[in-house]
Amino acid sequence: MDMIEKAEVLMEALPFIQKFYNKIFVIKYGGHAMIDEKAKNWTAQDVVLLKYVGINPVVVHGGGPEINKAMEKMGKKPEFIHGLRVTDEETLDIVEMVLAGKINGDIVSKLSKFGGKAVGLSGKSGRIIIAKKKIKYIKNEKGEEIAVDLGRVGETAEVNTELLEILINNGYIPVISPIGLDEKGEAYNLNADTVAGDIAGALEAEKLILITDVDGIMDDINNPETLHRKLTASELREMIEDGRIKGGMIPKAESALYALEHGVKSVHIINGKIPHALLLEVFTEEGIGTMITKD
């Protein structure tokens, strides 16, 4: 690439930088981008660059694979019901140790390495996430709906944005692990995709960006040509209802719908295996993943 081409690339980004200046982007950091060292670096660089061009990133992360590894090392077998981790007291201790300790600290370190002022938090910090116990209903052999006790698995009852706003307004990048407290001070493990949507809605973010291991929402996960570049909320809802969205994409899709209903302008699902996927999605006309907007 010669110097003029480099200048043209920068100029392509200019209208997007102007449009999103001083806006909040909530970024759910997950998948390959959390495991591969190169992907960790370019994702951290992208987030810091967003901050330096005047956008306010807020990072939410999960850590399922790391939690599974830690549990197995401690001789405890991970158990899931319909994609949700069954969480007893011992499992919750492991989840908190991995999420709020190791992973959160690693992300903060990476962002700091590239010049970002990052602050590690959990949903417990400043009572950012007020949680309640999640009741999961499944159908038994007779087709009847029955309640399943998942233990210390929660869902968001309320998001308190005060601490986040203080940090954002003072130039910091909040990095949040999805652990919440209920009204009695009991801790709960929450789904990170869902928490990202809840926080994006509460902050009335410009964008919610979900970094995952697939190119976006596809009719056939094995056929990249079925990727949907753009969807409306009603089209996404229809895909959930007719079963085209499956497995781990379901909480992402539900998180997207919640965020759009609560003031977020657009939601993006992108592949963290692609170098600088975040910048390509935000600062180019074509983008690289799926963008979901209101109807």
Side-chain angles (χ1 to χ4, degrees):
M1 183 185 287
D2 65 24
M3 299 302 284
I4 293 172
E5 285 176 323
K6 286 181 181 177
E8 285 172 351
V9 168
L10 292 170
M11 288 311 298
E12 184 182 356
L14 178 59
F16 298 103
I17 294 170
Q18 290 171 321
K19 182 179 179 182
F20 302 135
Y21 184 79
N22 212 28
K23 297 292 194 328
I24 295 171
F25 287 10
V26 175
I27 300 160
K28 161 55 189 356
Y29 185 31
H32 190 78
M34 294 182 67
I35 300 166
D36 180 82
E37 197 60 30
K38 286 182 181 176
K40 284 182 186 180
N41 283 329
W42 68 56
T43 303
Q45 287 172 321
D46 289 2
V47 172
V48 172
L49 191 145
L50 291 179
K51 187 66 180 175
Y52 274 89
V53 298
I55 293 164
N56 297 310
V58 174
V59 177
V60 178
H61 67 86
E66 290 277 2
I67 294 166
N68 292 345
K69 278 185 200 170
M71 289 181 72
E72 284 159 12
K73 277 184 185 174
M74 296 178 186
K76 195 166 177 65
K77 188 178 179 188
E79 184 185 349
F80 294 88
I81 297 175
H82 285 232
L84 292 169
R85 185 185 300 277
V86 177
T87 307
D88 59 16
E89 295 286 342
E90 187 182 1
T91 301
L92 183 65
D93 288 342
I94 297 168
V95 168
E96 288 206 66
M97 176 185 72
V98 174
L99 289 182
K102 183 179 185 303
I103 294 175
N104 193 280
D106 286 349
I107 295 170
V108 168
S109 296
K110 278 282 186 238
L111 292 170
S112 299
K113 174 183 175 182
F114 295 110
K117 292 198 304 180
V119 177
L121 307 162
S122 81
K124 293 162 66 173
S125 309
R127 293 181 67 83
I128 293 168
I129 300 168
I130 298 172
K132 61 182 179 181
K133 184 177 175 68
K134 185 176 181 69
I135 307 297
K136 180 70 178 175
Y137 291 92
I138 63 169
K139 288 187 178 178
N140 63 14
E141 300 81 15
K142 298 177 182 176
E144 301 164 334
E145 282 204 336
I146 55 168
V148 177
D149 187 357
L150 297 164
R152 299 291 284 278
V153 173
E155 59 187 349
T156 304
E158 187 182 337
V159 176
N160 175 10
T161 61
E162 182 183 9
L163 176 58
L164 297 179
E165 287 165 358
I166 290 168
L167 292 169
I168 291 165
N169 292 336
N170 284 279
Y172 292 94
I173 302 170
V175 179
I176 307 159
S177 60
I179 304 292
L181 289 176
D182 69 8
E183 296 288 0
K184 296 176 182 176
E186 297 287 336
Y188 285 88
N189 177 28
L190 285 80
N191 179 282
D193 292 320
T194 306
V195 166
D198 296 337
I199 289 174
L203 288 169
E204 296 183 356
E206 179 75 16
K207 292 182 183 293
L208 167 62
I209 302 171
L210 303 168
I211 301 175
T212 183
D213 281 341
V214 294
D215 291 342
I217 293 177
M218 294 176 272
D219 289 324
D220 179 355
I221 194 71
N222 299 311
N223 183 359
E225 291 182 7
T226 65
L227 174 69
H228 289 269
R229 291 285 181 189
K230 290 184 179 178
L231 287 169
T232 64
S234 52
E235 287 169 339
L236 180 60
R237 200 172 281 109
E238 190 178 307
M239 291 180 75
I240 296 172
E241 288 167 2
D242 67 21
R244 279 181 286 167
I245 291 179
K246 303 180 178 77
M249 191 57 76
I250 293 172
K252 291 176 175 59
E254 290 174 343
S255 174
L257 291 173
Y258 178 90
L260 291 169
E261 286 165 7
H262 289 80
V264 175
K265 301 289 193 306
S266 63
V267 179
H268 304 252
I269 299 175
I270 62 173
N271 190 342
K273 296 176 186 175
I274 298 169
H276 301 292
L278 199 48
L279 300 185
L280 291 169
E281 180 68 12
V282 172
F283 292 138
T284 64
E285 195 63 52
E286 301 82 12
I288 57 158
T290 299
M291 179 171 80
I292 307 144
T293 55
K294 295 175 187 175
D295 298 332

